[in-house]
Amino acid sequence: MKLPFRKELLLISIVVLSLSEPLSAKSRPDSLLNLIFHYPETIDQTQHLDSVSYSYMKFSYEVTKRNFLLMAVPSMYAVSSGVGRQFMGENYNQVTLLPNGDYKLDNLLSLSTVPGRANTLPTMVHYLTPNIYQSTMIQKNILSPFHRHNRRYYRYSVEPFNKHFSKLVFKPILKNTLLVNGWALVDTQTGRVSKTILIGEYDMIIFNLFVEMGERGPASLMPIRCNLNARFFFLGNVVNGHYMMAHHLPKIFNDSIVDNDDLRKMEMVRTEPLKHSEQMMYDRVLEYRKALAQEKAASDTVDQHKIGTLKMVLWDVIGDNVLNDIKQKFGRNQQGYVQISPVLNPLYMEYNPTQGVLYNFNIRGGYQFSKNQDIWLQFKGGYSFKLNQFFFQLPMQYFFNKQKNGYLENIISIGRRIRNRGIVDEMRSISSNNPIWENLHLDEFKDLYWDCFANYDISKFFGFQAGMILHERTALAPTGFKIINKPSKYLSLAPKLKVKVRPWGYNGPTFVASYENSIKNFANTNMPYTRWEFDGQYILSLDNIQSVSMRVGTGFYTHRDKNGYFVDFENFRQTFIPNGWNDEWSGEFELLRSEMYNSSKYYIRGNFTYESPFMMLAWTPFAGHFIERERFYVSLLNVQDMHLYAELGYAIKTRFFSVGAFTSSINGKYRNIGFTFGMELFKHW
């Protein structure tokens, strides 16, 4: 079966041209564009569509070129080898419209000829649920030509179509993966988009998307049918696919179906009959499954069974799980899940100047007891090749009242390093600057900590946390501490309290006041201290997926004894924004080691990041086509020995990676320059 990549587009274009009146000269698009941009505001917001609906999706694709690298692509392992290259399947989904305008799809029925019924190329679903009237219409990325804020990035022309509709043609002013080509049929009286074709490229997928919109009321803001022709390409691998999704279908079955691989049930929800070639593919799979069952029943030799089992374990199980995520749901209603990150996939590595190359590993899982209660557990580990250091965090979170953001959290961290030159400087001053102390590594410690607290939001404006935090810092070179007659282990246990204030609710800035006061002389604790920290964080979203990330804060000790070398400020590693920063480098100091601020009794900080899709390099030929985001960083810090530490940075994000360059100065004098690197490939698949 050879899939014609543009067949759907050509057929639709022929129909459109055959029905249209003779075209006159192109007219100015201003009046029609104003109607389109204003159309969502004309819809009666008192009318509400059901938040839950149902959809039918049919897909087929062909692996035209493949090599061994295809198995490293998430979800593609099942089709990366073997004799099969043509696959198809169908899904019947429950679709939930979320308050932010996104869609959540829960699969109720699924038929597939993919080995093991693996969910291949799940990212394609985002193209089949576009929000064309939003500023970003596909997974918060593609800039919609039907939104007024994006008009500056497109050139428009209008051609008459018939008495009621006009044809709007749009082209981007620069070649970039965030922009699309295409045309739309628009009601000349209301500005309602009836049908549109969007042609573009994003995240290694060349797509050709036909969207048919609803006709009246709130339904006219949503698609009722989408047809997608797509081509995925990656290092010599090419996959051509065709997808169709019909939206807003009636409910036919219960939302919990015991047998979700039922061909007869799928025939009841199918919105169009299968083509002859598609039915033949189903028949071949059914015959293959039947033959396998007969072969298994007839097999009476242990050796054949062992060979089959060994192949399954070595190739199908271990091979898949080593290179791709392991995902598994469990429970009567599939309310639990476990997900394990790839073991050997190099695409999940990163680099920063202080820790060098990092290998990350992540296991997470959860179980939903009800809509208001669930439990979440994560094992987040990593290894720094520069520091020869293994570290991990084990956070567990139990939500007892999600409506009030009420949860209990327990965090255990092992392997984290902390450095502080305070003790080295003290020894040098006592011994008249004897350099021997530099070689004893007295400034390096392993930090094991346990953090347990409860969080509860009284309202969307106020919340608080209360709990306990334990730190055990152990010297990496205890021999040196014996020489100077100082303890090599420092233990602290402190109750803590945080108050969160959100003047404009969850979508505005968050201000946090933190207080810790350690318990003296309890269970061998030897680090008494009292610490206050104040922090404010906010991401100001601008037009065209631009944003300004801001963070300001201060912290100080009102009490810190002579053994307080290793008490670190907590807010240098905590984020209070609900969904975190847009990237891993905002709100941080990339070139500054922790001992530079942990040795101070106070700090005053400020971090600012400006993010835009089209800042500088995006306008350059060729390279600009792949740049999705550009960021500019300014970070300032005032501590005891650095009255002004300044850090400037610039970074770009592409489909493959993010890379940033940072430079720093102390008290107006140049200090150093460094680069950071992170993998973006398949990050959102």
Side-chain angles (χ1 to χ4, degrees):
M1 177 184 70
K2 185 172 179 59
L3 296 176
F5 184 61
R6 298 182 180 271
K7 182 178 179 181
E8 191 77 24
L9 175 61
L10 292 174
L11 289 176
I12 295 170
S13 300
I14 292 172
V15 173
V16 168
L17 293 175
S18 64
L19 295 176
S20 62
E21 295 178 348
L23 298 179
S24 61
K26 294 181 180 179
S27 59
R28 290 180 59 84
D30 295 358
S31 59
L32 185 63
L33 285 175
N34 289 331
L35 285 174
I36 296 172
F37 298 154
H38 185 64
Y39 179 74
E41 302 170 9
T42 65
I43 301 301
D44 185 2
Q45 299 299 322
T46 60
Q47 302 179 35
H48 296 287
L49 287 175
D50 293 335
S51 59
V52 177
S53 60
Y54 298 84
S55 68
Y56 165 79
M57 183 180 77
K58 181 175 67 172
F59 65 88
S60 59
Y61 56 88
E62 180 180 13
V63 183
T64 58
K65 294 182 180 180
R66 68 184 180 189
N67 55 50
F68 73 97
L69 294 174
L70 187 61
M71 66 177 62
V73 179
S75 79
M76 296 297 290
Y77 184 88
V79 299
S80 63
S81 63
V83 296
R85 287 178 177 261
Q86 300 172 356
F87 308 93
M88 70 159 294
E90 299 170 280
N91 291 327
Y92 177 65
N93 305 302
Q94 182 190 74
V95 183
T96 303
L97 179 63
L98 303 176
N100 62 0
D102 292 337
Y103 297 93
K104 176 188 175 186
L105 270 67
D106 294 308
N107 183 255
L108 302 180
L109 277 176
S110 176
L111 294 176
S112 175
T113 65
V114 178
R117 296 172 60 202
N119 186 16
T120 305
L121 290 175
T123 189
M124 293 299 185
V125 175
H126 299 295
Y127 294 83
L128 300 170
T129 54
N131 290 308
I132 69 168
Y133 290 106
Q134 299 292 326
S135 178
T136 53
M137 57 183 176
I138 299 176
Q139 205 180 10
K140 305 296 183 185
N141 287 310
I142 307 298
L143 295 175
S144 172
F146 308 114
H147 195 280
R148 58 169 54 89
H149 291 158
N150 302 328
R151 181 174 181 176
R152 72 189 77 171
Y153 301 124
Y154 287 98
R155 294 189 179 96
Y156 300 89
S157 63
V158 176
E159 303 171 1
F161 180 70
N162 58 29
K163 294 181 180 180
H164 304 290
F165 288 90
S166 294
K167 182 180 180 181
L168 176 72
V169 180
F170 44 86
K171 297 180 180 179
I173 63 172
L174 73 159
K175 292 184 178 180
N176 189 274
T177 59
L178 296 176
L179 304 173
V180 294
N181 291 280
W183 56 263
L185 290 184
V186 183
D187 189 319
T188 54
Q189 298 298 318
T190 64
R192 179 182 69 87
V193 175
S194 173
K195 299 177 179 67
T196 182
I197 284 183
L198 308 169
I199 304 170
E201 175 190 354
Y202 186 77
D203 207 9
M204 291 166 292
I205 295 173
I206 297 176
F207 63 91
N208 198 315
L209 176 64
F210 166 74
V211 182
E212 181 179 357
M213 304 294 291
E215 294 186 359
R216 297 181 184 85
S220 64
L221 303 178
M222 302 177 184
I224 59 173
R225 181 185 173 92
C226 294
N227 284 58
L228 172 68
N229 286 313
R231 175 176 293 162
F232 166 74
F233 56 95
F234 173 66
L235 297 178
N237 296 280
V238 179
V239 180
N240 291 332
H242 175 75
Y243 294 75
M244 185 280 292
M245 179 175 281
H247 294 271
H248 305 294
L249 302 180
K251 180 177 181 179
I252 299 178
F253 310 109
N254 294 328
D255 293 341
S256 58
I257 300 176
V258 177
D259 183 7
N260 65 350
D261 187 20
D262 193 320
L263 182 59
R264 293 184 179 180
K265 285 188 173 68
M266 189 64 75
E267 291 174 349
M268 296 172 62
V269 302
R270 191 175 290 147
T271 58
E272 59 184 37
L274 293 178
K275 299 176 183 177
H276 178 68
S277 58
E278 294 170 340
Q279 186 62 54
M280 288 181 62
M281 291 183 67
Y282 265 153
D283 293 341
R284 286 198 299 267
V285 171
L286 291 175
E287 291 176 2
Y288 176 71
R289 291 179 181 176
K290 184 178 179 180
L292 280 181
Q294 292 175 349
E295 181 181 353
K296 184 178 180 181
S299 177
D300 54 1
T301 64
V302 178
D303 290 339
Q304 289 180 352
H305 178 70
K306 286 184 176 180
I307 291 173
T309 302
L310 184 63
K311 174 187 177 297
M312 181 188 71
V313 171
L314 291 180
W315 180 255
D316 299 332
V317 177
I318 296 179
D320 190 4
N321 296 338
V322 162
L323 294 169
N324 294 297
D325 284 343
I326 304 170
K327 300 178 182 179
Q328 182 64 49
K329 291 186 177 182
F330 61 90
R332 169 177 270 182
N333 297 317
Q334 303 291 291
Q335 68 268 42
Y337 78 96
V338 175
Q339 183 170 339
I340 304 175
S341 66
V343 178
L344 296 179
N345 197 324
L347 304 178
Y348 288 78
M349 303 181 77
E350 60 180 305
Y351 169 83
N352 68 55
T354 58
Q355 295 179 300
V357 177
L358 292 172
Y359 170 77
N360 296 313
F361 187 76
N362 196 5
I363 302 174
R364 53 193 178 274
Y367 191 88
Q368 184 178 32
F369 301 100
S370 66
K371 291 184 178 180
N372 203 33
Q373 293 185 17
D374 61 31
I375 191 169
W376 176 83
L377 180 67
Q378 184 179 24
F379 177 90
K380 188 175 183 180
Y383 182 80
S384 168
F385 291 91
K386 181 178 181 179
L387 302 177
N388 294 323
Q389 172 191 351
F390 174 76
F391 52 88
F392 75 85
Q393 275 192 342
L394 186 64
M396 182 179 69
Q397 203 171 52
Y398 167 63
F399 275 91
F400 57 86
N401 190 337
K402 299 187 76 170
Q403 294 180 350
K404 291 292 187 178
N405 199 27
Y407 61 85
L408 300 173
E409 186 162 352
N410 187 82
I411 303 173
I412 298 174
S413 176
I414 296 177
R416 177 175 171 265
R417 297 283 181 89
I418 182 171
R419 297 167 61 97
N420 196 306
R421 283 194 54 84
I423 192 169
V424 178
D425 295 339
E426 180 181 331
M427 291 301 102
R428 291 194 60 148
S429 63
I430 293 175
S431 59
S432 301
N433 289 326
N434 190 329
I436 188 176
W437 308 111
E438 296 288 347
N439 300 322
L440 295 179
H441 302 286
L442 302 179
D443 59 339
E444 296 186 35
F445 283 74
K446 293 184 293 184
D447 183 12
L448 182 152
Y449 74 85
W450 168 68
D451 192 2
C452 182
F453 58 89
N455 186 90
Y456 193 82
D457 288 353
I458 301 172
S459 68
K460 65 179 181 179
F461 304 107
F462 298 99
F464 69 89
Q465 285 184 8
M468 299 283 290
I469 186 166
L470 170 73
H471 278 275
E472 181 186 83
R473 298 177 174 91
T474 306
L476 291 182
T479 304
F481 283 83
K482 292 179 181 179
I483 296 174
I484 62 178
N485 196 27
K486 276 186 170 287
S488 60
K489 183 178 293 186
Y490 295 83
L491 187 68
S492 67
L493 178 65
K496 66 175 188 174
L497 177 66
K498 292 182 183 179
V499 177
K500 299 181 182 181
V501 180
R502 296 175 288 265
W504 293 277
Y506 291 109
N507 295 324
T510 300
F511 300 97
V512 179
S514 306
Y515 171 74
E516 284 186 26
N517 188 12
S518 67
I519 302 174
K520 298 180 181 179
N521 302 321
F522 176 78
N524 298 321
T525 57
N526 58 353
M527 281 199 308
Y529 68 92
T530 303
R531 185 177 71 224
W532 296 81
E533 289 188 75
F534 301 89
D535 201 81
Q537 302 180 20
Y538 182 46
I539 298 180
L540 176 63
S541 298
L542 305 174
D543 299 336
N544 314 111
I545 51 180
Q546 300 176 85
S547 66
V548 178
S549 303
M550 297 169 280
R551 182 175 189 178
V552 294
T554 183
F556 52 86
Y557 289 90
T558 56
H559 171 61
R560 184 174 179 178
D561 80 340
K562 62 180 181 179
N563 288 331
Y565 302 111
F566 319 107
V567 180
D568 55 334
F569 289 104
E570 186 179 23
N571 283 350
F572 273 87
R573 63 177 187 274
Q574 282 211 357
T575 299
F576 301 109
I577 295 175
N579 296 318
W581 302 105
N582 291 340
D583 70 316
E584 296 178 354
W585 306 329
S586 295
E588 301 291 339
F589 294 90
E590 289 300 311
L591 305 180
L592 191 64
R593 299 179 71 104
S594 61
E595 65 266 22
M596 301 297 290
Y597 49 80
N598 282 332
S599 59
S600 176
K601 294 181 180 180
Y602 71 92
Y603 72 85
I604 303 173
R605 69 178 295 172
N607 303 83
F608 306 90
T609 303
Y610 171 66
E611 178 181 276
S612 173
F614 311 115
M615 195 185 305
M616 295 185 297
L617 291 183
W619 297 89
T620 59
F622 183 71
H625 174 71
F626 301 99
I627 294 177
E628 300 172 5
R629 302 287 193 279
E630 296 179 80
R631 301 183 178 105
F632 182 67
Y633 305 86
V634 178
S635 298
L636 304 172
L637 178 66
N638 190 324
V639 292
Q640 194 168 335
D641 296 325
M642 296 186 299
H643 294 296
L644 184 61
Y645 170 84
E647 195 173 280
L648 301 178
Y650 171 79
I652 60 171
K653 174 185 177 295
T654 70
R655 69 182 66 172
F656 304 108
F657 56 81
S658 289
V659 61
F662 294 83
T663 182
S664 67
S665 64
I666 297 179
N667 301 329
K669 297 181 180 180
Y670 168 79
R671 178 173 177 263
N672 65 345
I673 188 171
F675 297 88
T676 55
F677 180 86
M679 293 299 302
E680 298 289 341
L681 197 60
F682 310 122
K683 193 171 184 178
H684 301 289
W685 277 44

